[in-house]
Amino acid sequence: MKSIVCLIATTLASLAFSVQAEEKALNLYSARHYQTDEALYANFTKQTGIRINRIEGKEDELLERIRNEGGNSPADIFLTVDAARLAKAHELGLFAPVSSKTLDARVPANLRTDDWYSFSTRARVIVYNKAEIKPAEVQNYDDLANPRLKGKVCSRSGSHPYNLSLLASIIAHEGEAKAEAWAKGVVTNFARAPKGGDSDQIKAVAAGECGVALSNTYYVARLLRSTKPEDQKAMEKVGVIWPNQATTGTHINVSGGGMLKTAPHKEAAVKFLEYLASDDAQRYFADGNNEWPVVDSVKVVNPALDALGKFKPDNLPVKNLAMYQVKAQMIYDRAGYK
Ligand code: FE
């Protein structure tokens, strides 16, 4: 009896699933959840009639969930942050290649791969304590490894995707030996063992616990735009540098996504990716997290980011960042960059 009930339940479930697959719907697994997202998704439904079912979660958990669901995953699109995580989804064979003239025309070649696309960019900048460090001392990522900064560098974990992608870019530009020497130099300069997120590093710099640290630009922008008096006070003490302006440019990371190989709604999925590259969607996408659009012609007005001034970005293809993730982790491990 029990097995018949099970059978009926399974049949009903698969019926419901196939009905859902034919419906105009899109299942989005997203590690993003910002204020502007409501408008971002509502506009897509308005334009296409395709309803969006959103599953939101932490980046690594969502990836794990898609893996566990395997061939039965209802996920059509996976959106996440950082080239390292997008590269991981690619390595696991989760993404399907997409062929779209719209995406190829709108997303710059260095910001897309065969099966995933970037939709916004962020930069990894140097933040320093203005009372303690002269800006001339911290113009390049290399400076963080300079012995004159001994005991002055704070960092989040070397295993974190942001730091993995930065080291991947150093490997791509300068080779493994130099990347390892850099990682070792930074470890020697640590003010404390790595802990916390980027905002914690900025606050530690402001508090004088360390002289210098790295942060993604949106954390800087968030604190600059904060109305809390303690954040405003902290930011008065902190200077921000665009690193490597005379050489390779400031390291750029991305948020982005792709269509899953097992997507039940492939046509809707491609439409959605194309929508994310449209002018309006680009604005919402970037604004939600104080980032920049990937489409060149789209401009956003963000007073905090604008206040940091113009800079030369590193145009290294995101594909190359993806390629060196494993090597980057091995180098950090050898360097004791925990
Ligand atoms: Fe972040």
Side-chain angles (χ1 to χ4, degrees):
M1 186 61 194
K2 204 173 169 193
S3 63
I4 294 175
V5 173
C6 268
L7 186 69
I8 292 170
T10 315
T11 314
L12 280 177
S14 59
L15 266 177
F17 187 73
S18 57
V19 167
Q20 205 192 9
E22 280 161 30
E23 225 188 318
K24 287 191 103 185
L26 178 81
N27 299 325
L28 172 67
Y29 282 33
S30 173
R32 285 176 50 96
H33 18 83
Y34 302 117
Q35 271 178 2
T36 55
D37 287 1
E38 293 305 324
L40 178 70
Y41 301 134
N43 275 357
F44 176 71
T45 304
K46 211 159 93 188
Q47 283 177 24
T48 61
I50 300 168
R51 187 168 46 83
I52 295 181
N53 303 314
R54 242 188 300 166
I55 305 273
E56 290 179 346
K58 286 231 155 66
E59 299 83 3
D60 299 323
E61 286 164 20
L62 278 181
L63 195 60
E64 210 41 46
R65 178 167 171 167
I66 296 169
R67 277 180 84 177
N68 290 337
E69 288 170 342
N72 295 322
S73 176
D76 292 304
I77 295 280
F78 176 46
L79 284 184
T80 191
V81 294
D82 196 274
R85 292 198 183 93
L86 289 154
K88 195 171 168 200
H90 165 85
E91 285 303 319
L92 293 167
L94 299 179
F95 286 136
V98 168
S99 145
S100 159
K101 284 191 179 129
T102 305
L103 286 167
D104 289 351
R106 299 207 32 106
V107 181
N110 66 310
L111 296 177
R112 56 182 148 87
T113 70
D114 293 337
D115 59 10
W116 58 265
Y117 296 86
S118 310
F119 292 109
S120 64
T121 62
R122 63 278 292 278
R124 200 136 181 82
V125 292
I126 293 174
V127 290
Y128 67 96
N129 184 300
K130 288 195 274 195
E132 234 191 279
I133 304 279
K134 291 188 195 76
E137 292 178 332
V138 285
Q139 291 295 314
N140 301 291
Y141 296 114
D142 268 357
D143 294 326
L144 300 186
N146 190 309
R148 74 173 167 234
L149 289 183
K150 188 150 176 73
K152 295 202 188 282
V153 179
C154 275
S155 178
R156 77 188 299 164
S157 165
S159 298
H160 193 277
Y162 304 159
N163 282 340
L164 287 172
S165 290
L166 171 65
L167 189 57
S169 79
I170 297 175
I171 298 172
H173 286 303
E174 301 186 56
E176 282 177 60
K178 280 199 173 160
E180 184 154 348
W182 178 80
K184 283 183 175 153
V186 178
V187 170
T188 308
N189 285 346
F190 278 164
R192 61 180 190 193
K195 64 171 180 182
D198 285 6
S199 302
D200 300 311
Q201 314 312 319
I202 302 173
K203 287 173 184 169
V205 165
E209 237 175 281
C210 29
V212 59
L214 291 165
S215 171
N216 282 354
T217 33
Y218 56 88
Y219 294 107
V220 175
R222 220 178 272 170
L223 284 169
L224 285 173
R225 295 178 83 166
S226 170
T227 50
K228 288 186 194 157
E230 66 265 33
D231 290 342
Q232 292 172 353
K233 231 176 166 180
M235 291 317 278
E236 280 168 20
K237 301 204 161 62
V238 173
V240 180
I241 297 280
W242 298 114
N244 289 26
Q245 291 303 283
T247 56
T248 49
T250 298
H251 168 63
I252 295 295
N253 209 320
V254 299
S255 66
M259 175 173 79
L260 296 156
K261 210 175 255 172
T262 50
H265 313 93
K266 290 211 163 61
E267 210 179 305
V270 174
K271 263 190 198 151
F272 182 71
L273 292 175
E274 289 176 340
Y275 164 77
L276 288 183
S278 68
D279 285 9
D280 280 347
Q282 276 285 289
R283 255 175 235 120
Y284 286 124
F285 202 92
D287 258 355
N289 188 33
N290 295 301
E291 292 180 82
W292 294 284
V294 292
V295 176
D296 257 354
S297 56
V298 179
K299 301 281 173 253
V300 288
V301 181
N302 185 317
L305 288 178
D306 294 347
L308 300 179
K310 286 211 180 340
F311 71 104
K312 177 174 106 175
D314 181 356
N315 288 322
L316 189 74
V318 286
K319 232 186 279 185
N320 296 25
L321 292 181
M323 195 157 67
Y324 293 119
Q325 296 297 326
V326 174
K327 279 202 172 127
Q329 183 66 70
M330 282 162 59
I331 288 175
Y332 277 140
D333 287 346
R334 284 201 295 269
Y337 201 131
K338 295 266 161 44

